[in-house]
């Protein structure tokens, strides 16, 4: 859009945000206008029109730049929020898996285990551990009222072929 404006007068131009006066160019909002020395006002906008598909809603729209990804600000916001929520969920799942696997890894390194720790390590109930103790398949040591099982005795339950 090319508008020739006498630079000596205060004049409002078609653009609502641009005012010309002899001493300065006052502009509110985006800086998309250029005034040359001869007083020619150029509205700097892109002439390209590209048919694109919105990455969020999958609707077709006309983009004015080659980098436009969304049809509206609302779609942009929704896509951003969806991405943030996915990242939060993924982070939460990783944290949960880390917390769940931590006791299991700690149990593997302990030389002595309680009944509860043994059942967690083997993935069986406490009642099954008591049955193994009754059948004398599992050696148990007592310290006061606590029952302690050696890790090496647990390993003997599963002979290597």
């Amino acid at each position: 859009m090319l508008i020739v404006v006498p630079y000596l007068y205060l004049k409002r131009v078609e653009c609502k945000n641009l005012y010309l006066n002899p001493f300065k160019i006052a502009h509110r909002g985006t800086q998309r206008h250029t005034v040359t020395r001869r007083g020619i006002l150029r509205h700097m906008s892109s002439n390209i029109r590209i048919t694109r598909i919105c990455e969020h809603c999958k609707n077709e729209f006309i983009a004015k730049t080659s980098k436009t990804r969304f049809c509206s600000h609302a779609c942009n916001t929704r896509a951003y929020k969806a991405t943030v929520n996915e990242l939060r969920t993924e982070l939460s799942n990783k944290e949960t898996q880390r917390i769940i696997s931590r006791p299991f890894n700690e149990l593997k390194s302990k030389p002595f285990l309680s009944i509860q720790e043994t059942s967690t390590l083997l993935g069986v109930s406490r009642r099954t551990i008591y049955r193994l103790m009754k059948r004398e398949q599992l050696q148990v040591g007592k310290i006061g009222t606590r029952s302690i099982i050696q890790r090496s005795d647990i390993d003997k339950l599963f002979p290597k072929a």
Side-chain angles (χ1 to χ4, degrees), residues 96-140:
T96 303
Q97 288 300 320
R98 188 182 65 78
I99 290 170
I100 289 171
S101 66
R102 182 181 53 192
F104 189 75
N105 291 335
E106 289 175 3
L107 293 178
K108 284 182 176 180
S109 62
K110 283 179 140 184
F112 297 98
L113 301 170
S114 68
I115 303 291
Q116 180 63 46
E117 291 171 338
T118 304
S119 66
T120 302
L121 183 66
L122 296 177
V124 296
S125 67
R126 285 187 1 229
R127 184 70 198 135
T128 303
I129 301 298
Y130 284 117
R131 273 191 241 119
L132 290 171
M133 289 167 41
K134 188 175 181 180
R135 287 188 228 146
E136 295 182 357
Q137 291 178 332
L138 205 53
Q139 300 272 331
V140 179

Side-chain angles (χ1 to χ4, degrees), residues 4 11 27 69 80 94 107 130 136 157 161:
V4 178
K11 183 173 182 178
H27 193 282
R69 297 169 45 203
Y80 173 76
K94 284 181 181 178
L107 293 178
Y130 284 117
E136 295 182 357
L157 284 174

